[in-house]
Amino acid sequence: MPARPPRTSTFSIVARDPATDAVGVAVQSKFVSVGSVVPFASADAGAVATQSFANVAYGPDGLDLLRAGRSADEVVAELTESDDDSDERQVGVVGQDGSVAGFTGAGCFEFAGDIQGENYTVQGNILENRATIEAMAETYESADGGLPDRLLAALHAGNEAGGDARGEQAAALYVVKPEGGYDGGNDRWIDVRVDDHEHPIDELERVFRIYDVTLLEREPPDEYHELDDETAEAVTAALDEAGFCEGTSTALGEGDTALAAFSGANNFENHEIRALEDALARGWDDADGTSEDRLVNAVWHGLSRLDRK
């Protein structure tokens, strides 16, 4: 008898933001590169998470069924009824039509279960407790921010409430929306993975913040703040420590500045220099780290109050 593939002991959330037509999956597991197995999404259909001896065909097949007009409940029924091993599977489905469904086979290892709410489903297997998925649902419903922020908040809450009984290893955040990809060329709005890490959700959030600042656009602020006084001095010192002041005419402002060099080195062309100054002025006190790390973190904090486009 051939060896069975390892089971994806996992907790995930699948959700949709009807205001932006964004839909996606966030997942954590004691399973290397879980982002290559669990999440599937398409802006013209919806999103699917497949786990617990995952049948990865559930992903593309489920999206095809959603695209053909099936509801999430109908998708789950068709996928599981045609699968001889469905009692060991777990799947969550959210359609762009707003339908939601989850399935946990009777043969999934405990604790295993799923919870559905408006525009989302959470599911998990080999968990410490049911509180893991309850915390995910409650946090997703109450969290502030856009869809990616709420998905990450749900992952953190699930992990803190108990999480995967086998521990932590990998996490992923995959969100699509119409023309959301790089330069509008596809629907892959957010695609961030941590394949092997001691604290994968923390690392996923760190990498997502860099992704957010670099690739995602924000609405402009109603009023721009200028860098001045002690904050300007601290930002200038950080720019100098990171090596951006050498060869520039000045540290801050437009033109040949250290701030412009920092922006170019980090691919922050999505944001005008004055928008970066505004973000640094607003976010500096909340930022962690030193030198270039703190500069990037401060930009994220300063921009996070603005809606993503």
Side-chain angles (χ1 to χ4, degrees), residues 19 25 63-64 68 73 84 97 116 137 150 161-162 164 174 208-209 215 219 227 240 254 291 295 306:
V25 182
L63 293 177
D64 284 344
D73 278 326
D84 292 339
D97 62 356
Q116 287 72 52
R150 296 171 69 193
D164 190 325
Y174 185 42
F208 169 67
R209 288 185 177 188
L215 294 175
E219 296 293 342
L227 277 166
D240 187 30
E254 302 285 346
S291 187
L295 290 165
L306 303 171

Side-chain angles (χ1 to χ4, degrees), residues 150-175:
R150 296 171 69 193
L151 291 174
L152 284 169
L155 280 192
H156 277 298
N159 204 43
E160 291 164 6
D164 190 325
R166 300 197 306 179
E168 304 176 56
Q169 185 169 10
L173 177 64
Y174 185 42
V175 185

Side-chain angles (χ1 to χ4, degrees), residues 106-118:
C108 292
F109 290 102
E110 291 290 347
F111 172 80
D114 56 87
I115 298 173
Q116 287 72 52
E118 186 175 2

Side-chain angles (χ1 to χ4, degrees), residues 180-200:
Y182 183 78
D183 200 30
N186 58 26
D187 68 0
R188 190 181 301 175
W189 189 38
I190 299 166
D191 187 0
V192 182
R193 282 169 38 183
V194 173
D195 288 342
D196 184 30
H197 196 276
E198 186 177 1
H199 300 292

Side-chain angles (χ1 to χ4, degrees), residues 99-169:
S99 62
V100 175
F103 171 84
T104 299
C108 292
F109 290 102
E110 291 290 347
F111 172 80
D114 56 87
I115 298 173
Q116 287 72 52
E118 186 175 2
N119 288 306
Y120 76 88
T121 175
V122 298
Q123 44 282 318
N125 64 90
I126 317 185
L127 302 180
E128 286 284 357
N129 48 38
R130 180 176 174 80
T132 297
I133 58 173
E134 291 175 340
M136 293 176 71
E138 292 168 5
T139 299
Y140 180 77
E141 291 185 2
S142 63
D144 294 326
L147 181 61
D149 308 288
R150 296 171 69 193
L151 291 174
L152 284 169
L155 280 192
H156 277 298
N159 204 43
E160 291 164 6
D164 190 325
R166 300 197 306 179
E168 304 176 56
Q169 185 169 10

Side-chain angles (χ1 to χ4, degrees), residues 22-108:
V23 61
V25 182
V27 58
Q28 196 282 149
S29 182
K30 180 64 173 71
F31 187 90
V32 68
S33 189
V34 71
S36 68
V37 176
V38 170
F40 296 84
S42 179
D44 64 350
V48 178
T50 177
Q51 54 202 49
S52 180
F53 288 120
N55 183 343
V56 294
Y58 281 12
D61 291 351
L63 293 177
D64 284 344
L65 290 168
L66 289 170
R67 215 173 274 119
R70 306 291 203 283
S71 69
D73 278 326
E74 292 170 330
V75 169
V76 168
E78 291 196 38
L79 292 175
T80 56
E81 287 170 6
S82 62
D83 182 359
D84 292 339
D85 294 320
S86 61
D87 65 328
E88 296 180 324
R89 313 292 194 199
Q90 193 169 47
V91 63
V93 179
V94 174
Q96 277 289 25
D97 62 356
S99 62
V100 175
F103 171 84
T104 299
C108 292

Side-chain angles (χ1 to χ4, degrees), residues 197-234:
H197 196 276
E198 186 177 1
H199 300 292
I201 301 174
D202 291 340
E203 179 67 2
L204 183 70
E205 184 167 29
R206 185 193 71 80
V207 175
F208 169 67
R209 288 185 177 188
I210 299 171
Y211 184 105
D212 190 8
V213 173
T214 307
L215 294 175
L216 306 186
E217 296 184 58
R218 300 271 183 165
E219 296 293 342
D222 293 331
E223 179 183 357
Y224 290 93
H225 285 197
E226 293 186 2
L227 277 166
D228 54 20
D229 301 329
E230 292 181 1
T231 303
E233 292 178 9

